[in-house]
C-alpha cells in the first residue's frame, strides 16, 4: 500500500480509576478524530486505567484484559464503524500468571491486524513495570495494515535506538510510541526540562536515523507521584516537529504525514547504504569488559 | 582515571589551501585554548586542508600524511609542550594506494595514544569520500588516555546510533565527532534549518541513549559548493547543550564537562540494564526482505 499522505490523530488524555468511563471518553475522542479526517488514530499507553505500576499491588492483575474480550471488541467495533486504523494499548493477560504490556493494531475493517508486546521493560521508583509485565517475545516486527506497516513500540522502547532500527530493517513505514511518562514533582524545573527535552530528542533521532515519521502519544494529568507531561507529537523524516501538544491539556493532535518523504530523504541521506554490518556484532553483547 | 570534571576546547575554524598556514593558525588556537585551561583540545575533520572531497582529483592523494610524519610531529610536540590531550584529524596514507580518514589522539606527554579510522564513509554530490577513503578496519574502540577513554568517531559516523553504542559498550567516557558538514547553497532556508537541526539532534541523542557527554567540532567558511555550518557544540549526558558556536565565526569553544554525570544518569535511566540483546542479532543484517 503506497500512500502519498496520511492524516493521523494522537489522542492525549487524562485517565481516572473507572475503566468504563475511560473507555467512554476515549471513544468520544476517537469519533472526533475521525470526523477531522484522521485515517490512523493512536492512543496512549494503558489508556483504560490509571498508570497502576506506581505500586506493586497483587490485585492490580485484575485490570488485565485477555485478547479478544469485551474491551478489545469495543475498539474493534469503533474502528470498523469509523473506517480507521486504530492503535490501542492493553495490560494483556496471556494466561494465568503471565502478563504483557501490549499494543494492539486494529485495521479499518475492525479486524485485529496484529499485536506488539513491549520488549524493553523499565523498573524504577514509581514505574514498577518488571513486576507486572513479562518482556515481549514477538520481536520488533511492524504490523501490516491497509495504510502501511506500523512500527509500534511502547514507551521505554523509545530510549533504545536498536528498537527503531530493527523496525526499520523489517520495513516499517512509521514509528509509533504509545507512552506514559511524567515528572517526579520533587525534581527542580531544570531537571524536568532536561528530561522532557531528552525524551523528545531521542524520538526525533529515531526519525532522523531511519528517515521515518515518528508519532509519540503521552498521557496528561497528575496521578499519585507522577505528573504526566503530555507533549505528544508527530515529526517528519528529518526529525522536524509537525505538531506538538502541551503538558497539561487533553487534546486530539491532528497531523498530516507526507509518506513520500522517506524515499526522498533516504536518497540524500543514504544511511541504510552505509551501515557497517560487518562490524556490528558486538551490539548483541551486554558490555565488553 | 576518574576525573570529576574536564575542561575541553573545540576549535572551530576555516581553512585555506596552504597546509602550513592552516597548521600555523590551528597551533595558535590550540595555545589559546590551553591558556584558557583546556585539558582536552579537539580539532575539526581534515583541518590541515580545504575539504578536498568535493571533487575526485587524483592529485589530491598528495595531501595525505603518513603516521608519523612532520605534520603529526608538530601536533605531538605542541600537546607535550602544553600538557594537553589533543585530537587531530588526518588524511592518512597507510601505504601506496590505501588511504583512510583518520583521527589521531595524542596524549599530554606527546605520545600517540591511538588512532581511529572513520568506519562509515559517505558518498554524495560534493562529498565524494568513497573515492578517497577506505572504510576503517579498527572497529569502534575508544582510545585510552590520561584523561579517560575517548570514543572518537568522525563526521558521517554521527548518523549511526550503532557507532555510539559500540563505543559505549567498549567503555568510552566521552563521544567526540570531528566533522566537516555544510549546506548546499541551492537549498532553501527551511531545508537548511532542518538539516542543521537533524545533525544536532542525532548527536544529542547519542548522549542521551548512552549517558555520555558528546563533543562535535565542525568547520566554518565557504569552500567551493559547501557553506560549512559550524555550530560546534558540547552537550551533557541528557543531551543538554552546554555550549554551542554559531554558523560563521571561528571560535575556541570552551566547555566544562561534569564527568560524574554518567554514573548519576545511568542510575535514573538504566538503559544499559534493559537492552534486549537476545533480540538484537538482526542489527547485523542489511535489510530483512
Amino acid at each position: 500500500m503506497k500512500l502519498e499522505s496520511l492524516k493521523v490523530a494522537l489522542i492525549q488524555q487524562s485517565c481516572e480509576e473507572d475503566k468504563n468511563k475511560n473507555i467512554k471518553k476515549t471513544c468520544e475522542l476517537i469519533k472526533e478524530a475521525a470526523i477531522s479526517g484522521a485515517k490512523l488514530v493512536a492512543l496512549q499507553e494503558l489508556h483504560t486505567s490509571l498508570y497502576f505500576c506506581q505500586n506493586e499491588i497483587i490485585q492490580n492483575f485484575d485490570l488485565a484484559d485477555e485478547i479478544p474480550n469485551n474491551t478489545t471488541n469495543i475498539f474493534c467495533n469503533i474502528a470498523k464503524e469509523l473506517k480507521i486504523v486504530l492503535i490501542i494499548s492493553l495490560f494483556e493477560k496471556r494466561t494465568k500468571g503471565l502478563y504483557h504490556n501490549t499494543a494492539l493494531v486494529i485495521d479499518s475493517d475492525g479486524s485485529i491486524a496484529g499485536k506488539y508486546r513491549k520488549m524493553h521493560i523499565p523498573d524504577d521508583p514509581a514505574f514498577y513495570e518488571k513486576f507486572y509485565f513479562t518482556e515481549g517475545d514477538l520481536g520488533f516486527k511492524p504490523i501490516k495494515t491497509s495504510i502501511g506497516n506500523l512500527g509500534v513500540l511502547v514507551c521505554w522502547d523509545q530510549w533504545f535506538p536498536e528498537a527503531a532500527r530493527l523496525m526499520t530493517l523489517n520495513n516499517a513505514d512509521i514509528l509509533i510510541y504509545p507512552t506514559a511518562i511524567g515528572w517526579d514533582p520533587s525534581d527542580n524545573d531544570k531537571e524536568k526540562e532536561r528530561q522532557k527535552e531528552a525524551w523528545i530528542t531521542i524520538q526525533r533521532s529515531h526519525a532522523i536515523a531511519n528517515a521515518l515519521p515518528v508519532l509519540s502519544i503521552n498521557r496528561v494529568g497528575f496521578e499519585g507521584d507522577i505528573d504526566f507531561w503530555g507533549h505528544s507529537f508527530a515529526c517528519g523524516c528529518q526529525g522536524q516537529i509537525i505538531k506538538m501538544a502541551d503538558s497539561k491539556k487533553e487534546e486530539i493532535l491532528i497531523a498530516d504525514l507526507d509518506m513520500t518523504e522517506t524515499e526522498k530523504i533516504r536518497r540524500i541521506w543514504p544511511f541504510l547504504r552505509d551501515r557497517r554490518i560487518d562490524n556490528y556484532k558486538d551490539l548483541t553483547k551486554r558490555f565488553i569488559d
Side-chain angles (χ1 to χ4, degrees), chain A:
Chain A
M1 173 85 182
K2 295 246 187 302
L3 295 172
E4 294 268 306
S5 68
L6 179 64
K7 196 180 281 290
V8 302
L10 318 184
I11 295 187
Q12 169 173 303
Q13 64 174 104
S14 61
C15 293
E16 58 185 301
E17 196 160 349
D18 187 310
K19 184 174 179 172
N20 290 328
K21 286 189 182 164
N22 289 326
I23 292 175
K24 186 165 176 283
K25 177 163 76 175
T26 302
C27 286
E28 286 162 8
L29 294 167
I30 293 171
K31 280 180 190 164
E32 273 192 62
I35 289 167
S36 300
K39 298 299 173 198
L40 170 66
V41 179
L43 306 181
Q44 68 204 25
E45 187 183 17
L46 301 171
H47 50 82
T48 66
S49 66
L50 294 170
Y51 181 72
F52 56 84
C53 311
Q54 294 197 50
N55 298 289
E56 300 195 0
I57 298 171
I58 299 279
Q59 285 74 15
N60 280 344
F61 288 100
D62 291 340
L63 295 168
D65 288 298
E66 294 183 70
I67 300 174
N69 74 350
N70 282 344
T71 304
T72 64
N73 287 342
I74 290 170
F75 290 109
C76 286
N77 289 338
I78 197 167
K80 185 178 179 181
E81 177 196 335
L82 301 173
K83 297 188 181 64
I84 54 165
V85 175
L86 179 61
I87 300 170
I88 70 171
S89 165
L90 295 168
F91 181 18
E92 179 193 1
K93 180 174 186 170
R94 191 169 174 186
T95 188
K96 296 177 182 72
L98 182 58
Y99 301 81
H100 294 283
N101 186 327
T102 299
L104 206 64
V105 177
I106 303 166
D107 215 329
S108 52
D109 62 358
S111 64
I112 291 175
K115 60 177 173 286
Y116 168 79
R117 293 188 177 124
K118 187 172 180 175
M119 292 287 282
H120 299 94
I121 308 293
D123 201 277
D124 299 290
F127 294 85
Y128 299 106
E129 294 200 17
K130 289 192 198 291
F131 174 73
Y132 291 103
F133 311 125
T134 293
E135 47 186 26
D137 57 354
L138 298 175
F140 301 97
K141 304 273 166 60
I143 295 166
K144 281 190 186 167
T145 73
S146 55
I147 54 165
N149 297 335
L150 306 186
V152 181
L153 294 157
V154 177
C155 201
W156 195 236
D157 290 322
Q158 63 213 170
W159 300 99
F160 299 82
E162 292 92 342
R165 183 68 97 198
L166 286 164
M167 283 294 184
T168 302
L169 297 181
N170 277 301
N171 208 19
D173 296 312
I174 312 180
L175 299 173
I176 303 160
Y177 295 93
T179 299
I181 193 168
W183 289 300
D184 176 344
S186 70
D187 279 330
N188 65 38
D189 286 349
K190 277 194 175 168
E191 174 62 16
K192 287 180 182 175
E193 181 65 17
R194 274 196 299 272
Q195 292 187 8
K196 188 203 73 189
E197 270 299 302
W199 175 79
I200 294 167
T201 300
I202 196 135
Q203 291 178 91
R204 290 175 63 203
S205 84
H206 304 325
I208 297 162
N210 300 293
L212 291 177
V214 167
L215 309 178
S216 183
I217 314 97
N218 188 28
R219 71 173 64 204
V220 286
F222 211 99
E223 300 177 23
D225 289 330
I226 308 179
D227 181 9
F228 290 97
W229 70 45
H231 278 86
S232 301
F233 70 90
C235 74
C237 294
Q238 291 170 298
Q240 75 278 20
I241 299 294
I242 300 170
K243 280 282 186 69
M244 183 176 281
D246 79 4
S247 64
K248 297 286 179 205
K249 217 172 60 239
E250 295 199 326
E251 191 169 343
I252 301 169
L253 199 74
I254 303 278
D256 289 301
L257 305 185
D258 176 357
M259 300 306 288
T260 69
E261 244 194 350
T262 297
E263 175 72 40
K264 285 181 207 156
I265 299 299
R266 286 186 185 167
R267 289 184 187 197
I268 65 162
W269 286 347
F271 308 143
L272 293 186
R273 181 192 65 187
D274 290 337
R275 295 174 68 243
R276 289 295 306 274
I277 55 174
D278 56 325
N279 269 267
Y280 287 172
K281 72 175 180 354
D282 283 352
L283 290 169
T284 61
K285 294 197 175 155
R286 186 64 69 204
F287 194 71
I288 297 150
D289 300 289

